[in-house]
DNA sequence: CCTTCGGCCCTAATAAAATTAGGTGTTTTC
DNA sequence: GAAAACACCTAATTTTATTAGGGCCGAAGG
């Protein structure tokens, strides 16, 4: 899928996407235009979906994170999904197998805020909540090797 | 925490962190050096933790994602954590309240691969697995407003 | 077997972007 | 009320990215 050079480029960009072409070129032993072209193709192929920044929840005052399993009551699936989408405290949300339920991350400043948010879903879904104690792996990309 | 200008800058960068200072400056009605300085301070304050790329699991052949709850058997907590960290198919992993258990994302190419990975943990932890059917919110930052 | 085409790379020149330097007005502090 | 701190500006400089133009295989086809 990716050759060794592409993999190295992506790995460097995962660590710091502002790395200059010059530095990337040095790291992989190519010229800047070559790296630029590889980058363009990685994006074109959809391997690199985009360039972004990582924002720190704690620095913004969201000291607590929770993982919430949300099982909408019969007929409430779309209402619940809409609510999740429109509530900014929800981070990523996955719809998973088993009773059509959602697993979502929640960013809150206090237990009270968490409680308040869960209350607002209480009449639309069954929920179970786990507070995040630590993040052994805060974020990690899928493997870049096909091995 | 963040003024309106900072918020706008961060929002733009979340969408595309390669946006030039010139464009950012135009968007917020400041000069490039001013935006540059604000950026520096956002990083210094830890609001922006880093610049990175988003890599697409599907494009790399990982068609399946699963959310796995992993409850280590007595005395196996550290072994399990190490295994998770060293298995590249694991994406982000949170340690949550309730019986010292982990919630992790898993990227695999097939159900067989998923099964194989779960087998390797089977003697160290109790697991329950939910396959991701869709991602209503693939990724989202915490709210930028204190509201 | 030779030619052609496509892929991938290069250097050098140009264009665009980021940074730095130096200065102005406004607000906070002593 | 002066001084310092702050947040911003423009203009000059430096760094970075992009473009243009060619060379070198290696595979495909005559």
């Amino acid at each position: 899928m990716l050759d060794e050079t592409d993999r190295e480029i992506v790995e460097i960009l995962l660590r710091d996407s502002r790395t200059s072409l010059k530095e990337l070129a040095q790291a992989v032993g190519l010229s800047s235009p070559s790296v630029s072209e590889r980058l363009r193709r990685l994006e074109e192929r959809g391997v690199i979906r985009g360039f972004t920044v990582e924002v720190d929840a704690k620095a913004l005052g969201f000291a607590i994170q929770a993982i919430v399993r949300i099982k909408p009551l019969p007929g409430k699936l779309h209402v619940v999904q809409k609510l999740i989408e429109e509530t900014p405290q929800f981070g990523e949300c996955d719809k998973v197998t088993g009773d059509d339920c959602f697993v979502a991350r929640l960013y809150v400043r206090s237990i009270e805020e968490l409680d308040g948010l869960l209350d607002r879903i209480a009449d639309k879904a069954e929920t179970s909540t786990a507070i995040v104690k630590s993040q052994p792996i805060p974020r990690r990309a899928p493997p870049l090797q096909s091995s």
Side-chain angles (χ1 to χ4, degrees), chain A residues 14-15 52-56 138-139:
Chain A
L14 279 166
R15 269 179 263 134
T52 187
V53 288
E54 266 185 81
V55 169
D56 188 289
R139 167 192 161 268

Side-chain angles (χ1 to χ4, degrees), chain A residues 18-32:
Chain A
R18 279 182 309 184
T19 307
S20 68
L21 292 179
K22 191 179 151 199
E23 274 182 273
L24 285 170
Q26 260 179 290
V28 304
L30 288 178
S31 68
S32 302

Side-chain angles (χ1 to χ4, degrees), chain A residues 6 13 15 18 20 23 27 29 34 37 41 51 54 63 65 71-72 75 80 83 88 93-94 102 113 115 122 145:
Chain A
D6 285 334
L13 292 177
R15 269 179 263 134
R18 279 182 309 184
S20 68
E23 274 182 273
S34 294
E37 174 64 12
R41 304 202 50 225
F51 286 65
E54 266 185 81
Q65 289 184 40
K71 179 177 164 186
V80 169
L83 178 60
C93 170
D94 296 280
F102 298 100
E113 187 179 359
D115 199 48
Q145 329 221 25

Side-chain angles (χ1 to χ4, degrees), chain A residues 68 70 72-73 76 79-90 106-109 111-127 129:
Chain A
V68 191
I70 301 169
L73 297 176
K76 300 279 172 120
V79 190
V80 169
Q81 181 165 339
K82 190 149 174 285
L83 178 60
I84 293 173
E85 278 163 12
E86 287 171 358
T87 304
Q89 285 95 332
F90 278 107
L106 211 33
Y107 298 101
V108 290
R109 271 153 300 199
I111 296 291
E112 288 73 29
E113 187 179 359
L114 174 60
D115 199 48
L117 286 171
L118 293 175
D119 265 1
R120 287 173 41 196
I121 316 185
D123 61 327
K124 303 177 190 68
E126 223 179 90
T127 65
T129 303

